[in-house]
Amino acid sequence: MIEVSDPNEIAALARDPNLDRRFETPTCPVNWLLLKRSLKVLSFRGHRFPTMMPRDDAQRTSNQQDLWNLLGEKVASIKTGSDELEPLADWVRGIGPDVQLGILVQQLLGQLFSSKFMATEASWDAAKVLVAAPRLNNLPLMMWWFVSGKVRRAKRLLAGMVNEDLSAVNAIGIAVHNVVKSLRQMRVLYANVQTRSGLSAEAAAEQCLFAPASVYRQATAAGQLGDCPYSRHSLFVLSIGEAARHAEGRSLVFMEDSWSRCPANLWIPAMLQGVWNRASVFSQFHDEKLSG
Ligand code: HEM
């Protein structure tokens, strides 16, 4: 297993044609366990989530483009702070408890895929199970989650809310946690009156972007990373969460220069700008009223 957190090395590996998400499990025991666990959690009824699909899968590529197009059409309006962002703008202003945020974000993402989507405490709990399961270090707990059907039930609940569209399950079960982190950060920025008045919406959104902690790749053939040779089936853990904190790592937040580019790479920053705009308009109005 090779863990990489240097932004330039990750960018080079993302371009390496030997590295893919085919994920063949006959490999060494540790890699086998890590891959098996992720594939088990991030699959539903025998189909992998899009984030676990190989590069040359035609259906994956076409779904990725379709979702990018769908979200792209919404970018201009959401950036202005459309009405659907009011609950999140309220939360950023400091209204509402911390526990409410997950449900609000899940609602916003779920509505992209189904107009009937209604996030609940149960669907938010399911999302927490889904994101934690591939990373559980506590082996007995991990076994219990699988044996008792906790992970299966979580996926069934989420998939049932979005017509079993696995891009949508990824959004409301996994990506939702990154967006929650963004809005937590935005609430902190907003709470400081000086920071609030000095930041443009664009700058605020940029300061609130966080990459997923890591993504997996596996070598389909032997190759070389710098001076380090790697063998077929080597597992690469690309620590984009850490790498994206460097100035030159911005494109890794959404793996923007890679075949695996996130389809929400423009929509998420636009949505965050929208929330900031909406929250700030209220604060200006409020400040003006106070000053008479
Ligand atoms: C702050 C929020 C988000 C971040 C930081 C993020 C980041 C990423 C990253 C880094 C990847 C590449 C994974 C890899 O290389 O293996 C990815 C893939 C993906 N993301 Fe996002 N994402 C976010 C939100 C979303 C949302 C809201 C959606 C759906 C509406 C979404 C849908 C997807 C899909 C479908 C893929 C798989 C693309 C493919 O390889 O075919 N993401 N995301």
Side-chain angles (χ1 to χ4, degrees):
M1 193 208 296
I2 304 170
E3 212 176 318
V4 189
S5 57
D6 177 83
N8 298 317
E9 279 184 354
I10 293 180
L13 287 169
R15 286 191 300 271
D16 186 336
N18 284 345
L19 296 198
D20 205 334
R21 297 189 304 211
R22 270 189 232 162
F23 298 139
E24 289 156 353
T25 43
T27 170
C28 78
V30 175
N31 292 359
W32 177 87
L33 184 73
L34 291 172
L35 284 182
K36 261 281 189 230
R37 184 173 64 171
S38 288
L39 286 172
K40 197 159 172 50
V41 177
L42 303 176
S43 304
F44 185 69
R45 296 199 203 285
H47 296 284
R48 292 185 190 182
F49 285 20
T51 49
M52 298 301 279
M53 295 285 282
R55 174 201 309 233
D56 60 4
D57 184 283
Q59 191 63 55
R60 178 201 69 75
T61 315
S62 132
N63 291 346
Q64 182 186 31
Q65 188 61 44
D66 288 350
L67 186 54
W68 193 83
N69 292 344
L70 174 99
L71 296 174
E73 283 165 18
K74 298 173 187 286
V75 161
S77 104
I78 205 147
K79 203 185 268 192
T80 61
S82 41
D83 289 350
E84 69 205 295
L85 296 181
E86 183 56 18
L88 290 176
D90 244 350
W91 193 87
V92 165
R93 288 173 199 132
I95 302 164
D98 197 64
V99 291
Q100 195 64 31
L101 179 62
I103 299 178
L104 296 178
V105 175
Q106 206 178 37
Q107 179 62 28
L108 181 75
L109 299 186
Q111 285 233 315
L112 293 169
F113 297 93
S114 162
S115 55
K116 294 196 202 96
F117 188 88
M118 201 56 79
T120 61
E121 221 166 288
S123 62
W124 175 236
D125 284 346
K128 286 193 280 190
V129 170
L130 212 56
V131 79
R135 294 177 191 274
L136 274 183
N137 286 328
N138 180 336
L139 206 64
L141 185 66
M142 182 180 91
M143 297 300 284
W144 173 243
W145 277 25
F146 283 107
V147 172
S148 68
K150 195 176 170 79
V151 177
R152 208 171 41 245
R153 279 195 304 278
K155 274 190 286 189
R156 209 182 297 141
L157 175 74
L158 295 176
M161 297 172 83
V162 288
N163 303 318
E164 303 196 356
D165 173 345
L166 296 189
S167 294
V169 180
N170 170 65
I172 61 172
I174 305 286
V176 64
H177 300 281
N178 284 90
V179 185
V180 163
K181 198 168 170 188
S182 294
L183 288 156
R184 285 224 167 90
Q185 167 72 357
M186 192 172 273
R187 194 184 212 183
V188 172
L189 293 179
Y190 186 89
N192 183 318
V193 180
Q194 243 175 349
T195 313
R196 187 195 309 165
S197 53
L199 272 186
S200 68
E202 203 179 339
E206 283 298 309
Q207 288 191 25
C208 295
L209 284 178
F210 299 98
S214 59
V215 294
Y216 284 156
R217 294 289 185 271
Q218 195 181 31
T220 53
Q224 183 120 1
L225 164 63
D227 297 335
C228 169
Y230 60 80
S231 57
R232 180 165 176 247
H233 284 164
S234 293
L235 182 65
F236 285 80
V237 181
L238 308 183
S239 300
I240 56 175
E242 190 185 329
R245 286 204 286 268
H246 299 267
E248 70 270 33
R250 166 63 176 85
S251 70
L252 299 175
V253 173
F254 297 105
M255 292 295 275
E256 238 148 352
D257 302 327
S258 154
W259 56 270
S260 68
R261 173 184 74 170
C262 175
N265 70 321
L266 300 180
W267 185 84
I268 290 281
M271 181 274 292
L272 293 173
Q273 287 183 42
V275 173
W276 183 265
N277 276 329
R278 209 172 166 103
S280 308
V281 164
F282 171 88
S283 100
Q284 274 162 20
F285 171 73
H286 185 70
D287 293 348
E288 276 161 23
K289 251 178 59 175
L290 280 182
S291 64

